[in-house]
């Protein structure tokens, strides 16, 4: 998911192995329903009063088993200082040895810098444990449509989805699938339809009684589709999107889902980043939940104005038309290493104040749900999971958490979730943290 020109799943160069890819049939044969433990935690029967994060899960490393090389780490076919595509360096200090992958980068004191792989189960389970520890409700697991065709790519997204399913069940969190249509070609919507059939048939996604963590809303499993109605030259059409939504809602075998749409900021007025097509409103009318994308659409000085011009009238429109509304918030933005022409810290975090002000305006506008972009998106500098203030030095420039503890944003989002749920009163500035325990 991208600001401006949206870049899909292959935005960062994949330095792939010469190993032959697994066959698609073999990958499909490995798909299974859930058969692990499940702990009671958040109420997975509703999206209301929830703060959900986006979970990209697209990182891989040589030797992690995915056979995809430095996926979403390298750029231009390389991964070394000067050729990387992310701006925040993950904090790997808590990871076990088998979760850490050495890189050509070095810290200031000469130590080797390590990264993680989303393909490794212990790491994903650790992320869900953090969600439980800090009071974050769960995630929308990103599934790029273009990554559901080839054997290696399909195996990766299936594996990450299975890890998230297990993590959510073990830690009492909620999860739901979010298709991202970015990069999808013309007349390719059937790839998404076929993939959903596959997930239902093989993994019983959203329909498995043993999988108690899959998010439901208004009595139906939630399936999100992101990337409908943007005016950035996408090749798939609104007519194709309408067909996909109607399939997910009404198909006799694979339908009866609660469909959430990721749409442009200007969806209601059909301007700004939106296609000026009334057909977009017809698609929204066929769905259940509206979630406008806002990453990069405003900076610290524009939050109140955005709330007045968009969140408040959007919520009123949705109430009038019987739709639920899930606004998007983000902690800051930086993609200098991916787009060198863009400045580092393009939208500053202000030590958490930028994100907290958004939550306060959401609460003031009457929002009862929120989508945080993102849990693990280091590429665009929107991550809230643990990142280091001691990144590698050299020709690649990394941003930091401005001296805040590496878990500060996990804690803060947990506090904001209490405000969205109505458990705490509206606060215009972020609370002062009691550092005596991780969730306080």
């Amino acid at each position: 998911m991208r600001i401006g020109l949206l870049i899909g799943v292959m935005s960062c160069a994949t330095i792939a192995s010469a190993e032959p890819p697994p066959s698609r049939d073999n990958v499909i044969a490995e798909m299974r329903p859930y058969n692990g433990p499940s702990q009671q935690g958040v109420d997975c029967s509703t999206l209301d009063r929830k703060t959900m994060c986006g979970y990209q899960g697209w990182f891989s490393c040589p030797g992690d088993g995915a056979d995809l090389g430095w996926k979403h780490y390298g750029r231009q076919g390389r991964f070394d200082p000067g050729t990387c595509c992310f701006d925040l360096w993950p904090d790997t200090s808590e990871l076990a040895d088998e979760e850490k992958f050495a890189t050509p980068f070095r810290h200031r004191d000469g130590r080797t810098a390590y990264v993680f792989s989303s393909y490794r189960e212990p790491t994903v389970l650790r992320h869900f444990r953090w969600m439980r520890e800090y009071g974050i409700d769960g995630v929308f697991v990103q599934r790029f449509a273009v990554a559901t065709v080839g054997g290696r790519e399909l195996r990766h997204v299936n594996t990450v989805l299975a890890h998230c399913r297990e993590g959510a069940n073990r830690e009492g969190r909620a999860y739901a699938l979010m298709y991202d249509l970015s990069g999808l070609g013309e007349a390719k919507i059937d790839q998404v339809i076929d993939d959903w059939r596959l997930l239902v048939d093989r993994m019983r996604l959203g329909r498995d009684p043993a999988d108690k963590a899959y998010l439901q809303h208004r009595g139906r499993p939630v399936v999100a589709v992101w990337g409908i109605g943007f005016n950035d030259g996408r090749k798939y059409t609104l007519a194709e999107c309408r067909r996909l939504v109607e399939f997910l809602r009404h198909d006799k075998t694979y339908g009866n889902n609660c469909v959430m749409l990721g749409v442009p900021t200007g969806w209601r007025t059909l301007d700004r980043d939106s296609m000026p097509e009334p057909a977009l409103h017809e698609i929204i009318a066929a769905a259940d939940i509206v979630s406008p994308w806002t990453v990069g659409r405003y900076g610290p000085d524009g939050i109140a104005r955005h709330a007045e011009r968009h969140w408040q009238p959007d919520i009123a429109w949705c109430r009038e038309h019987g739709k639920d509304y899930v606004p998007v918030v983000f902690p800051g933005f930086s993609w200098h290493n991916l787009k060198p022409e863009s400045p580092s810290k393009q939208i500053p975090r202000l030590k958490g104040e930028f994100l907290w002000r958004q939550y306060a305006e959401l609460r003031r506008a009457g929002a009862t749900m929120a989508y945080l972009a993102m849990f693990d998106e280091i590429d665009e500098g929107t991550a809230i999971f643990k990142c280091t203030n001691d990144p590698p030095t050299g020709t690649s420039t990394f941003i930091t958490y401005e001296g805040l503890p590496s878990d500060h944003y996990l804690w803060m989002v947990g506090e904001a979730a209490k405000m969205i749920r109505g458990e705490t009163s509206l606060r215009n500035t972020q609370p002062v943290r009691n550092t005596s325990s991780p969730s306080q």
Side-chain angles (χ1 to χ4, degrees):
M1 299 179 182
R2 303 292 174 187
I3 174 178
L5 288 174
L6 304 175
I7 301 174
V9 69
M10 300 308 291
S11 59
C12 294
T14 297
I15 308 168
S17 166
E19 293 292 325
S23 74
R24 180 177 171 83
D25 288 343
N26 287 344
V27 172
I28 292 171
E30 296 170 352
M31 300 170 70
R32 297 283 190 276
Y34 185 63
N35 63 355
S38 187
Q39 299 296 323
Q40 185 175 359
V42 302
D43 179 6
C44 295
S45 70
T46 179
L47 183 55
D48 195 37
R49 310 292 171 179
K50 297 288 189 303
T51 290
M52 302 284 285
C53 298
Y55 193 86
Q56 297 285 25
W58 56 17
F59 301 100
S60 65
C61 308
D64 64 359
D67 200 27
L68 287 172
W70 295 110
K71 185 179 179 185
H72 276 272
Y73 287 122
R75 183 167 60 86
Q76 298 175 348
R78 297 169 52 193
F79 181 48
D80 50 35
T83 58
C84 69
C85 65
F86 59 101
D87 276 27
L88 276 168
W89 197 277
D91 180 0
T92 60
S93 61
E94 296 180 29
L95 274 58
D97 289 345
E98 63 269 20
E99 299 176 70
K100 297 189 293 187
F101 295 85
T103 75
F105 293 77
R106 297 292 181 268
H107 293 281
R108 189 175 303 277
D109 61 2
R111 288 177 296 118
T112 297
Y114 293 87
V115 292
F116 72 95
S117 168
S118 308
Y119 198 76
R120 285 292 169 93
E121 179 186 65
T123 301
V124 177
L125 298 187
R126 186 185 304 277
H127 291 165
F128 278 84
R129 184 162 66 251
W130 290 346
M131 294 175 211
R132 175 182 56 78
E133 290 173 349
Y134 295 92
I136 298 171
D137 294 304
V139 299
F140 289 107
V141 182
Q142 312 296 296
R143 191 174 176 92
F144 282 80
V146 295
T148 61
V149 181
R152 285 195 187 102
E153 292 78 12
L154 180 61
R155 183 178 61 184
H156 181 88
V157 296
N158 284 350
T159 299
V160 172
L161 177 59
H163 293 343
C164 290
R165 178 179 62 181
E166 182 175 357
N169 275 280
R170 285 182 177 272
E171 303 297 339
R173 302 299 95 187
Y175 82 104
L177 191 77
M178 176 177 281
Y179 280 112
D180 191 320
L181 305 183
S182 298
L184 198 64
E186 185 178 359
K188 296 294 185 180
I189 287 294
D190 281 338
Q191 290 179 197
V192 184
I193 292 174
D194 290 343
D195 185 69
W196 179 249
R197 287 178 176 141
L198 187 65
L199 291 173
V200 171
D201 288 343
R202 302 293 305 186
M203 297 180 72
R204 304 302 302 158
L205 205 66
R207 289 149 171 79
D208 183 0
D211 180 7
K212 302 184 185 305
Y214 197 90
L215 182 66
Q216 312 278 320
H217 189 64
R218 302 195 183 281
R220 291 171 282 135
V222 175
V223 181
V225 181
W226 192 93
I228 294 180
F230 289 86
N231 64 359
D232 55 4
R234 292 164 182 261
K235 295 181 180 179
Y236 52 88
T237 66
L238 289 180
E240 291 179 274
C241 293
R242 173 69 179 266
R243 184 163 64 87
L244 173 59
V245 170
E246 290 182 343
F247 166 78
L248 292 171
R249 284 286 282 110
H250 302 298
D251 186 86
K252 291 181 179 179
T253 303
Y254 302 97
N256 197 33
N257 301 293
C258 183
V259 179
M260 176 172 132
L261 300 184
V263 296
T265 292
W267 67 275
R268 178 176 44 83
T269 48
L270 301 178
D271 57 9
R272 291 191 66 177
D273 53 351
S274 174
M275 297 174 66
E277 301 290 341
L280 176 57
H281 287 175
E282 296 174 6
I283 297 172
I284 291 170
D288 303 279
I289 308 169
V290 181
S291 183
W293 188 245
T294 55
V295 174
R297 274 41 175 187
Y298 50 81
D301 296 333
I303 299 171
R305 182 170 62 251
H306 184 88
E308 179 181 359
R309 295 181 180 179
H310 294 278
W311 286 335
Q312 294 173 17
D314 282 1
I315 289 172
W317 188 99
C318 286
R319 286 174 177 164
E320 179 182 351
H321 291 83
K323 306 299 175 186
D324 286 309
Y325 186 72
V326 181
V328 174
V329 295
F330 62 107
F333 186 88
S334 182
W335 62 353
H336 175 71
N337 287 323
L338 178 63
K339 296 283 188 178
E341 67 276 12
S342 299
S344 181
K345 294 187 286 189
Q346 185 172 334
I347 299 177
R349 292 184 172 230
L350 305 180
K351 293 195 170 184
E353 282 299 326
F354 175 63
L355 178 57
W356 188 269
R357 288 182 209 165
Q358 294 171 74
Y359 274 111
E361 290 294 345
L362 286 186
R363 174 70 186 277
R364 188 174 289 109
T368 62
M369 319 171 195
Y371 174 21
L372 186 281
M374 296 267 189
F375 186 85
D376 58 342
E377 174 65 280
I378 57 175
D379 311 59
E380 298 177 358
T382 61
I384 63 158
F385 73 164
K386 297 180 184 182
C387 291
T388 183
N389 289 309
D390 178 30
T393 59
T395 53
S396 294
T397 302
F398 298 99
I399 64 173
T400 69
Y401 279 174
E402 302 169 296
L404 295 169
S406 67
D407 65 345
H408 182 82
Y409 286 93
L410 293 170
W411 168 80
M412 191 178 71
V413 172
E415 293 299 302
K418 296 176 186 177
M419 190 168 65
I420 292 295
R421 287 194 294 267
E423 297 172 2
T424 58
S425 59
L426 188 152
R427 295 180 58 115
N428 290 318
T429 58
Q430 62 178 314
V432 176
R433 184 178 186 184
N434 176 357
T435 57
S436 60
S437 65
S439 58
Q440 295 298 315

